[in-house]
Amino acid sequence: MEWFISVSDKWIRNILWLLFKYTIFKQHCIKNFSISDVSSDNWYRWHNGARCFLGNISGESIFIKSDKYLWRLKNECDKGKLFEKACPLSSVKVMFVSTDFNYSYIVFEYINSVTLSEIFSSDSSFTNWDFLAHKIVEIIEKLYSINLIHRDFTPSNILVSLDGNGRFTEVKVIDFAYAVTLGDEYIDRYIGHTSLMNLGQGFKLEAFVWDDAYSALNILDTIESKSGKSIKDYKVKLNSFIGRLKWVYKE
Ligand SMILES: Nc1ncnc2c1ncn2[C@@H]1O[C@H](COP(=O)(O)OP(=O)(O)OP(=O)(O)O)[C@@H](O)[C@H]1O
Ligand SMILES: [Mg+2]
């Protein structure tokens, strides 16, 4: 019952927002940043004050993520840019952040892709799983080289692009909202206990401890079972990273 109430509560909030706030939001986008053709993206999945939209700036497709928490957008922007510098091919370009109190949102380039979790649950056959494993190891190497800990390194935060023949062509990491670099302890005070409990769930080292290489190793296990081929060398490489850079929540 509790589950039903919280799910329907989310739906009611989203529908009310679409009915009463959406038009003003679109006006804000066009007036302040010349963002046209704004449309909602999977609105039924919106949660926790965060909403996603598609749009267009000077003919370029963009992806908008709005959030009531400006600190989360700013952190996502800062950490996303840090990663972009180190690993441009596996990152999504952050364009800007709107810091307007009622209309805070972040704007990214739009990536025509699906998430790795969708790939994992799909029945389609894919041919170059090796490429995926290679890219994931490369991403971890880059994250470690700049002491950046993503903390939510899960299949739903990895975007994969495909060509028409079931071949993976690009792999990108998204959602740096909770990422940290050494010395960022203050961020955890904003997040709260429950969200920290859930962050990286199913892929993290242990409760309140994050190690992206460990999360990536879990992902490689699924790649191995989906492909039916050994990717031992990639797993050995990732194993050598585990324990080198981890984040422990200090209350
Ligand atoms: N730049 C982008 N281009 C295209 N699609 C994107 C882009 N960024 C994110 N997405 C899509 O939006 C979804 C949500 O993005 P993100 O993970 O950053 O937000 P979130 O707050 O974690 O939302 P959720 O909890 O619903 O996953 C992604 O799973 C992906 O499908
Ligand atoms: Mg996400």
Side-chain angles (χ1 to χ4, degrees):
M1 190 60 188
E2 238 175 64
W3 173 85
F4 175 75
I5 292 170
S6 75
V7 170
S8 60
D9 181 50
K10 189 180 85 175
W11 276 65
I12 291 165
R13 276 168 200 269
N14 289 343
I15 290 169
L16 287 176
W17 190 91
L18 284 166
L19 283 175
F20 298 109
K21 303 270 181 76
Y22 190 25
T23 307
I24 316 170
F25 176 78
K26 287 201 259 193
Q27 281 163 0
H28 187 275
C29 290
I30 190 91
K31 188 166 156 241
N32 293 277
F33 301 107
S34 305
I35 306 174
S36 59
D37 305 330
V38 173
S39 62
S40 59
D41 183 55
N42 295 328
W43 67 269
Y44 41 86
R45 283 196 352 215
W46 292 349
H47 59 91
N48 198 17
R51 304 183 173 93
C52 296
F53 306 87
L54 306 176
N56 201 294
I57 300 180
S58 315
E60 199 185 326
S61 297
I62 53 147
F63 185 84
I64 308 170
K65 215 170 131 178
S66 80
D67 197 325
K68 62 180 174 185
Y69 298 118
L70 191 53
W71 70 265
R72 209 152 55 182
L73 294 176
K74 283 188 168 158
N75 194 51
E76 179 154 12
C77 174
D78 292 350
K79 302 300 168 7
K81 283 188 170 169
L82 215 62
F83 184 65
E84 193 187 329
K85 242 189 201 168
C87 196
L89 289 180
S90 296
S91 67
V92 177
K93 206 196 297 162
V94 182
M95 298 171 86
F96 58 86
V97 176
S98 162
T99 55
D100 196 330
F101 180 66
N102 284 311
Y103 304 96
S104 44
Y105 49 87
I106 182 166
V107 177
F108 299 94
E109 65 173 321
Y110 173 78
I111 308 295
N112 192 2
S113 57
V114 292
T115 65
L116 186 53
S117 51
E118 288 167 309
I119 296 281
F120 284 164
S121 53
S122 153
D123 292 331
S124 314
S125 60
F126 303 99
T127 46
N128 57 339
W129 288 102
D130 257 45
F131 172 78
L132 212 55
H134 163 75
K135 281 290 175 189
I136 284 171
V137 174
E138 187 181 81
I139 287 166
I140 292 298
E141 281 173 341
K142 297 290 182 188
L143 283 169
Y144 277 56
S145 74
I146 52 170
N147 290 327
L148 180 59
I149 310 165
H150 186 287
R151 297 204 292 180
D152 202 9
F153 202 86
T154 61
S156 62
N157 286 329
I158 294 172
L159 297 184
V160 180
S161 302
L162 292 147
D163 66 11
N165 303 315
R167 284 182 72 80
F168 306 118
T169 53
E170 270 185 332
V171 180
K172 292 179 185 280
V173 196
I174 55 165
D175 207 355
F176 284 83
Y178 300 108
V180 283
T181 50
L182 304 174
D184 275 344
E185 276 78 12
Y186 68 95
I187 287 176
D188 286 353
R189 275 178 247 139
Y190 292 118
I191 300 177
H193 219 254
T194 316
S195 302
L196 283 168
M197 272 287 279
N198 295 331
L199 184 57
Q201 193 77 304
F203 290 84
K204 69 179 155 197
L205 195 53
E206 55 187 271
F208 303 111
V209 183
W210 297 265
D211 183 326
D212 293 337
Y214 179 85
S215 308
L217 193 60
N218 273 344
I219 294 175
L220 288 208
D221 281 341
T222 312
I223 291 180
E224 193 164 50
S225 73
K226 289 289 281 185
S227 69
K229 278 194 245 148
S230 166
I231 44 169
K232 189 164 160 263
D233 291 350
Y234 294 116
K235 289 169 80 174
V236 169
K237 184 103 203 221
L238 273 187
N239 246 314
S240 71
F241 279 89
I242 293 178
R244 277 204 235 161
L245 181 67
K246 60 182 182 182
W247 186 267
V248 183
Y249 168 58
K250 294 183 200 83
E251 263 180 284

